[in-house]
Structure formats: C-alpha cells, structure tokens
Amino acid sequence: MYRLGRSLAPAARFQAALSARLSHTATTKLFIDGQFVESQASEWMDVHNPATQEVVTRVPKTTASELEEAAKSAQSAFGEWRRTSIMRRQKLMLDLQYAIRANTDALAESIVMEQGKVLSDAHGDIMRGLQVVDSMAGIPEYMLGTRLEVAADMDTYTVREPLGVVAGICPFNFPAMMPLWMLPVALVTGNTIMLKPSERDPGAAMILAQLCADVGVPRGVVNVVHGANETVDFLTSDPRVKAVSFVGGNAAGKHVYGRATQHGKRCQANLGAKNHAVILPDANREHTLNAISGAAFGAAGQRCMALSVAVFVGKAGEWIPDLVERARGLRVDGGMEPGADLGPMISPRALHRAEELIQSAVDAGASLLLDGRGVRVAKYPKGNFLGPTVLANVTTDMQCYQEEVFGPVLSCVHVATLDEALALVNGNRYGNGASVFTQSGPCARRFQSEVNAGQVGVNVPIPVPLPMFSFTGNKDSFLGDTNFYGRSGVNFYTQLKTITSLWRKEDAEVDGQSAVHMPTLH
C-alpha cells in the first residue's frame, strides 16, 4: 500500500506519488488470511500509467499453491463468519462506509494513476460503489423471511442463508465500483469472498481490502488474488467456490459463465453492450445534446453503459452539427489535470482497436464528422489518447455498430419515425440500456413499454439504477438469472431454507421463573 500526502494540490500529489513508486517499482501484494503477502510467482504483469506508459506496479500471476491457500482461508473463515449476527455484519458495513469516505482521495488517485480516468470521474466511480455499501447497511430488511401457520400448531417459514465461499472477477473500467458491487453484498449476507481485481488496475481493490481489515472484518473473510486465465479457471472450477460474479467482455464472460455453471456454481455475468439513445424532435434541445455528449465521451467511453449510438428521429437530425461542436469542446488531458473532461484509454491495444473500428466505418461509407484520432496532449506525449469521435450515416451492418467500441466514439443514425427507432434498438443483440429524449408523455410511455433493454432512461442518458434497485441488463449483455446488487444481489448470494415445525399445545408446560431484564442482541 502507498499513502499519499495531503499537503500538495491533487496534480502535484499525483506526480509525487508516481515518482515515489517509479523510483522503486512496487509489486502488488496478495491479500490472504487478513495479511498482505508477497507472491512467489514466477510470472508478473506490468501495470502502466495510461497517460505516461510508465510502470506503476507489477501484478503477480498467483501460483497454484497461493490460490489454494486463499481458498482454504476463505473456507475456514466461513463457519464462524456465517454465525456472526446480522447486527454485527450491519455494523461492519456502516464502519466500512465511513472508512471509504475517509479514504476517497487515496482511492481516486490510485484509479487515475492506474486506469487513467479523470479525477472527478474517479470520485464518481467510488461514490457509485459506496452507494452499494450504503444500501447493504439496511441488510436486516433484505434478509427477512416469511412465515405462515399452515395447520394447527404447525408453522412453515423461510430463512436466507449464505452460500459459502464466493468469487468476484472484476473489469478494468471501474476499479472501485466493481469490487463494491460484489464485496459488500457477499460479506453482509454471511459469505466469504475471493476477489480478483483487473490485472490492469488492482490498486483500488487492494485499498478496499485494507479498509475491510481496518474496520474489523475477520481474517479470511476477504481474500484478494491476481492473475489471468489460470486464476479465473481456478475460481470457476474449485469446489469450495459456490458462486461467481463477473463483469467484463463477451469472450471472457462466456468462458466464465460456461465453466462456472459446468462445475455446478451459480454465476452472474455482465458482458458487452451497445446502448442507444433515441432523440425525438420535441426533446429539450440543450439538455439532450449536453446529456448525449457527456454519456458518449465521459470516461473515454470505457463504460458498459456508455452511450454509443444516437438515433435521431425526423427533424432531430438537424441537431447533429451542434452535437459535434459540443464534443469538439471537450478537453482531453491527463486525469489529474484541472479541467480535463476525458483521459486516456486503458492501453495502446485498446486505443488501436478503437481507431481500427473508426477506420472501418469510414471505409464502409460512414461520414466522419469529428475525428479524435491522433490527438496530442503536450504534457503526456505517450498517452493512449483518443478524442471524441462522431460518425454519421452509420448503418447496422457496419462493424462499428455491431461491436462494442469501448472508446469515445458515437455512431449517429437517422430514422423517420419512432417505430423505426424502436425496431432498430430492439434488433440489436445487446440489452444493457436504452434511452429516449422527448417531452411527450405518450411517446415516453410507449418507448419504455416496447423497447427491449434491461434499463431504460427517459431524458436520462445513462440509466444505471441506484442500489435499492438492481442492475438489470438483458439479451446478450447478461448471462445468468439473478442480477447485481439490490435485492437481486442479496438473492444471488443467499439460498432459501424452508422449515416446517410442529409444537403441540398439549405438550406445553410452564416451569421456572420469568426473566425481567431487557433482552439484548450481540
């Protein structure tokens, strides 16, 4: 763990922390049985600062014996942890909530250093994850069972019980939020967890592991392992792991889901997306254009809910030049620089892929209204920067439409009617989210009723639900039958037990003296 001083401005702190780490390239530790452990791995992966290409840390490919040790620790801790009272687990969520808030700056600067997003967006990453912790502080309500007297002296009732050891496999794009989609829900329901953060930016997850230990989460309840295919294959096949949560790309997600379910595990897997916004001519023009610009290009487009297709209906197509000007005005810069709107992409490979998809669209006949390729940032000449890019006259057979670009690239499509817009959105294989911009209540109601997407926004460009609800992507964007966080998340990490009991009245005897003290729970 590294600690950042607080006497400097954020950009200066960032440079000081980076210089300190580069002077002696740190290794990212494992977190096993409540302790940070130096891996004995023979293979390591470098984590590069996306703005500078400098090596920030080295991440181990966890060895087979270390994975075994982590699983053994999680399994051993489960017995006592599951018996910990729900009031105690609730208190730990409240303490974790406070600890995360107190360490937000350290988390955010780690995210900027390793993932590249701008500082304000890094804080948003943390806050959206923290909201899951907030909601899990209400766990007693989520865990309530049901009871019915089914016959004379006979009751049937249900209780929710934890599964055991569970695994979480996280993507690179939300280094804090994704672990916090999994970790608090798994823990507060009585499970122990083996967490694998992305090997591209593990720092935030390691800080969260430290905070769990600091607030009193017992040893072995949280274990953090690293690696690539071998680690994933262990987590999806080891019999001690009862459930797997995954967020990431299509190929990896299908592999994880197939392997986990083949080995008899529960699995929830969020995959790729192609989120559409339908703009009707009666929409509030200023609000709509600002919303689309932020949703398409914020976080350099590296969000599973990024807006990647704008469907302009009728005369709304006349707004496209204004959208281009808004996009042109966004500032591309290093994540810690004041006024930066979007930072670099995660890697040169990701940048190259996005640039290839842009060129494929041009070659297929799309109009390149704003080209973000080749953008240069003087202070960060080696950064993986791609500026906001706007393509028009995009058709559904183009590669840039069919694939998730995962970059700051917006494809604009023009249709004549709402019917055509709905047909286009519903014809896409992905189903994370879709939005409509309109001032017509009937049009909005029809859209939300007929669109086939799991999360729908009305004048909201990124309709990610707050955690009193659940993240409900569908179609090819999700594999599984129980969604992330909220009540669905609690259901995923628990199983119902139904008990039928008979206590006959005629067997009752009164004996002893009544207690008069106030009962307490511990």
Side-chain angles (χ1 to χ4, degrees):
M1 279 306 148
Y2 59 89
R3 297 189 180 276
L4 303 178
R6 290 293 175 265
S7 59
L8 302 174
R13 284 205 309 269
F14 174 76
Q15 291 297 337
L18 179 58
S19 297
R21 294 183 79 177
L22 293 176
S23 64
H24 177 70
T25 301
T27 57
T28 295
K29 307 297 188 287
L30 305 170
F31 188 73
I32 298 176
D33 201 37
Q35 296 181 338
F36 289 99
V37 180
E38 186 73 52
S39 176
Q40 300 305 304
S42 59
E43 294 184 78
W44 295 75
M45 299 167 284
D46 290 342
V47 173
H48 295 268
N49 182 321
T52 66
Q53 305 310 320
E54 294 166 309
V55 177
V56 176
T57 185
R58 302 179 70 229
V59 180
K61 290 187 176 181
T62 307
T63 68
S65 62
E66 290 165 345
L67 289 169
E68 173 64 28
E69 185 180 353
K72 183 179 178 181
S73 173
Q75 181 67 34
S76 177
F78 173 63
E80 183 175 350
W81 180 243
R82 71 173 298 177
R83 291 189 295 272
T84 302
S85 75
I86 197 166
M87 304 302 288
R88 171 64 177 153
R89 297 200 299 264
Q90 180 188 41
K91 175 62 164 54
L92 284 172
M93 288 299 106
L94 293 170
D95 292 342
L96 181 61
Q97 175 193 67
Y98 178 83
I100 292 171
R101 291 187 188 278
N103 290 274
T104 294
D105 286 344
L107 282 161
E109 289 166 24
S110 171
I111 291 170
V112 175
M113 189 180 298
E114 295 182 353
Q115 200 272 348
K117 63 178 63 177
V118 300
L119 184 60
S120 59
D121 199 34
H123 277 279
D125 183 332
I126 299 159
M127 288 301 105
R128 288 309 297 260
L130 183 59
Q131 288 169 347
V132 179
V133 184
D134 294 345
S135 71
M136 287 301 104
I139 190 61
E141 173 69 20
Y142 285 115
M143 293 289 280
L144 288 176
T146 57
R147 176 188 175 277
L148 181 66
E149 186 175 354
V150 295
D153 300 336
M154 180 177 288
D155 300 306
T156 298
Y157 56 97
T158 60
V159 295
R160 287 201 169 275
E161 296 186 336
L163 303 178
V165 180
V166 299
I169 302 172
C170 302
F172 75 84
N173 55 328
F174 286 98
M177 186 178 79
M178 287 296 106
L180 290 174
W181 273 21
M182 304 171 189
L183 190 149
V185 190
L187 264 57
V188 79
T189 50
N191 301 279
T192 59
I193 190 168
M194 296 178 67
L195 186 72
K196 192 199 91 64
S198 171
E199 64 277 10
R200 299 179 184 181
D201 47 19
M206 302 312 295
I207 295 173
L208 292 172
Q210 178 69 67
L211 296 180
C212 285
D214 289 348
V215 302
V217 174
R219 293 174 59 167
V221 173
V222 176
N223 295 273
V224 182
V225 295
H226 306 288
N229 294 344
E230 294 82 0
T231 301
V232 169
D233 286 350
F234 178 90
L235 295 175
T236 52
S237 63
D238 189 89
R240 287 163 292 194
V241 176
K242 304 303 181 184
V244 179
S245 298
F246 170 89
V247 179
N250 282 10
K254 290 177 181 178
H255 172 77
V256 166
Y257 184 81
R259 188 176 173 89
T261 54
Q262 180 184 4
H263 286 87
K265 307 180 192 308
R266 289 188 183 182
C267 188
Q268 51 180 189
N270 274 2
L271 310 182
K274 201 72 180 177
N275 306 303
H276 293 61
V278 173
I279 301 99
L280 300 184
D282 71 334
N284 181 304
R285 184 168 179 150
E286 290 301 308
H287 167 73
T288 299
L289 294 177
N290 288 334
I292 291 173
S293 180
F297 308 120
Q302 296 175 125
R303 297 170 174 152
C304 63
M305 285 294 288
L307 178 58
S308 53
V309 181
V311 184
F312 292 88
V313 178
K315 290 186 177 181
E318 298 172 3
W319 303 358
I320 294 177
D322 285 350
L323 176 61
V324 171
E325 291 309 307
R326 279 170 169 76
R328 197 189 307 276
L330 296 175
R331 180 179 168 186
V332 181
D333 209 337
M336 296 299 294
E337 299 303 321
D341 294 306
L342 60 154
M345 298 185 66
I346 187 66
S347 68
R349 180 179 179 183
L351 172 62
H352 179 68
R353 177 181 177 275
E355 291 176 335
E356 283 192 330
L357 286 170
I358 293 168
Q359 188 57 49
S360 74
V362 174
D363 294 343
S367 302
L368 185 57
L369 304 184
L370 181 62
D371 189 354
R373 294 174 295 178
V375 65
R376 295 289 178 263
V377 178
K379 191 173 178 179
Y380 303 97
K382 297 181 180 179
N384 309 318
F385 293 106
L386 177 63
T389 298
V390 181
L391 295 161
N393 301 315
V394 171
T395 57
T396 58
D397 60 339
M398 292 181 181
Q399 189 179 8
C400 72
Y401 179 84
Q402 294 181 350
E403 295 186 18
E404 184 178 31
V405 179
F406 226 59
V409 180
L410 179 65
S411 297
C412 296
V413 180
H414 188 252
V415 298
T417 65
L418 179 57
D419 286 342
E420 291 180 50
L422 281 164
L424 186 144
V425 176
N426 290 343
N428 190 270
R429 65 191 178 105
Y430 293 112
N432 250 4
S435 297
V436 64
F437 288 85
T438 180
Q439 295 188 73
S440 166
C443 288
R445 180 169 290 278
R446 182 185 172 202
F447 182 87
Q448 70 186 47
S449 175
E450 296 184 16
V451 73
N452 188 6
Q455 293 154 135
V456 179
V458 177
N459 299 317
V460 175
I462 304 180
V464 177
L466 290 171
M468 63 284 293
F469 297 95
S470 300
F471 191 96
T472 53
N474 66 20
K475 295 197 289 189
D476 283 0
S477 293
F478 181 71
L479 291 173
D481 55 11
T482 310
N483 301 106
F484 283 85
Y485 65 76
R487 194 168 297 280
S488 288
V490 171
N491 291 346
F492 179 78
Y493 287 117
T494 59
Q495 57 191 353
L496 281 175
K497 178 180 285 184
T498 305
I499 301 148
T500 301
S501 65
L502 173 65
W503 298 104
R504 302 191 308 166
K505 289 185 178 67
E506 55 265 37
D507 294 335
E509 293 183 7
V510 178
D511 191 16
Q513 183 175 355
S514 299
V516 295
H517 63 272
M518 172 68 76
T520 59
L521 299 175
H522 299 284

